[in-house]
Amino acid sequence: MRLAEPLDQATGLRRLFAPEPPFRSLGVLGPDPAAATRVSVALARGLGRRGGRVLLLDEANAPHHAGGLLGVLARHTLGDARQQGLPSLAQPAGDGIVLLAAPDGPAALAAWSEAELRDLAEDWRARVEAPEWLLVNGAGRTPEQALAATADERVLVLPGTRNKLADAYAVLKQAQARWSASHWRVLVDGAGEDTAQELFASLADTARRFLGLEADYLGHLPRARAGQPPQLLDGARMDRLAEQPPLEAGAGRVNFEQYWQRMWLHSRMLVETGRPFGRQARR
């Protein structure tokens, strides 16, 4: 993401007649916060290196936040948007990624009025080019609360052990019940290829039988060593993820500003239903 060119008459005309830029929302969820963050960073880097403009909205708290893996110290969070403006909170993180820390995401959004939401979105449009991808790391949030659960496309991070299958399925079921997603992909973390395929097959069969949901296999990542950056997915899998056609207009597709409205509505609904803004409960 780069700062927009100076606003002048020519710029206004270009924006007026230019086609709407592509936009896709991708949420990352899973029962293991550390694994979900590793996958979020790996996906963001993969998409960024393909040339995409990626905004990584990080819901995770320390020590599992994405900033730690990206080497970025987030000095402000989404809760500071009223005073700072959204563009001022976003920090370049390399590989075409811009990081926006949001451990206070639902609470911050719920506190905004609809007019403030509109003004903040318009301020972003005026100052910063909209991302092609908004990747939401929902690590550490319950599926009902996570902003990641509002994304049209989602990646479920399945830990590479059989005793985590039930927890991973619970995350998928609860997120799907909260906001129905058009695409679910499963990435197995910390397992070899054979084990990963077996775990995915078991989860996919359960989701098909009880939820009527078809999940795609995105691949696996080997167990990460302490202090090492997350391994990227191979180019073929990243291409398949990125080239999956987005929703057509009229089928629920939203643009960048409309997606902020969706996250705001989600947060306001949490307030109205009396659900607290807390970390993911231990299972």
Side-chain angles (χ1 to χ4, degrees):
M1 186 178 300
R2 59 181 184 274
L3 292 178
E5 67 272 25
L7 293 177
D8 54 22
Q9 186 176 20
T11 299
L13 289 172
R14 284 196 297 271
R15 289 186 176 180
L16 180 62
F17 293 106
E20 182 177 330
F23 172 75
R24 291 167 67 180
S25 56
L26 180 65
V28 179
L29 296 154
D32 183 334
T37 296
R38 283 195 301 271
V39 169
S40 295
V41 170
L43 291 171
R45 281 178 165 160
L47 292 168
R49 290 182 181 184
R50 294 182 81 262
R53 298 187 306 277
V54 182
L55 172 58
L56 176 52
L57 186 68
D58 185 24
E59 297 190 71
N61 287 282
H64 302 307
H65 53 40
L69 294 178
L70 291 166
V72 175
L73 176 62
R75 295 179 175 84
H76 301 283
T77 68
L78 191 59
D80 300 312
R82 279 171 161 169
Q83 294 75 32
Q84 305 279 344
L86 281 174
S88 298
L89 305 181
Q91 297 179 256
D95 293 320
I97 305 168
V98 172
L99 177 68
L100 179 52
D104 51 358
L109 283 168
W112 298 352
S113 68
E114 190 171 3
E116 286 175 321
L117 175 72
R118 183 181 62 251
D119 291 344
L120 287 165
E122 289 178 353
D123 179 52
W124 186 290
R125 174 185 287 275
R127 296 168 56 190
V128 181
E129 189 173 8
E132 296 169 290
W133 291 88
L134 198 161
L135 197 157
V136 189
N137 174 27
R141 294 282 179 186
T142 63
E144 296 92 340
Q145 294 178 349
L147 297 175
T150 66
D152 289 316
E153 304 174 61
R154 295 172 206 164
V155 172
L156 176 69
V157 183
L158 173 60
T161 55
R162 183 162 290 276
N163 62 1
K164 290 291 185 180
L165 270 172
D167 291 344
Y169 174 74
V171 169
L172 186 153
K173 179 180 179 181
Q174 292 165 21
Q176 188 70 3
R178 186 66 178 170
W179 287 86
S180 181
S182 60
H183 294 97
W184 275 96
R185 299 177 179 87
V186 177
L187 192 147
V188 182
D189 179 76
E193 178 63 30
D194 291 344
T195 300
Q197 290 275 9
E198 291 174 4
L199 292 171
F200 167 74
S202 179
L203 179 72
D205 180 65
T206 302
R208 185 182 304 110
R209 284 192 294 137
F210 293 102
L211 300 178
L213 181 69
E214 293 292 337
D216 296 328
Y217 180 60
L218 187 57
H220 76 287
L221 290 175
R223 188 174 303 278
R225 295 182 180 178
Q228 288 191 341
Q231 181 176 327
L232 297 178
L233 291 178
D234 62 81
R237 295 190 188 279
M238 288 305 307
D239 288 345
R240 190 175 70 182
L241 171 67
E243 292 170 4
Q244 175 73 34
L247 293 174
E248 297 295 334
R253 182 182 176 187
V254 297
N255 62 25
F256 178 64
E257 293 178 6
Q258 290 168 334
Y259 187 68
W260 277 99
Q261 292 176 327
R262 180 187 293 179
M263 291 193 293
W264 177 78
L265 286 170
H266 169 73
S267 302
R268 298 288 292 185
M269 288 164 60
L270 291 177
V271 171
E272 292 174 3
T273 55
R275 290 178 178 162
F277 300 121
R279 290 190 177 190
Q280 181 167 327
R282 292 185 179 180
R283 300 183 184 277

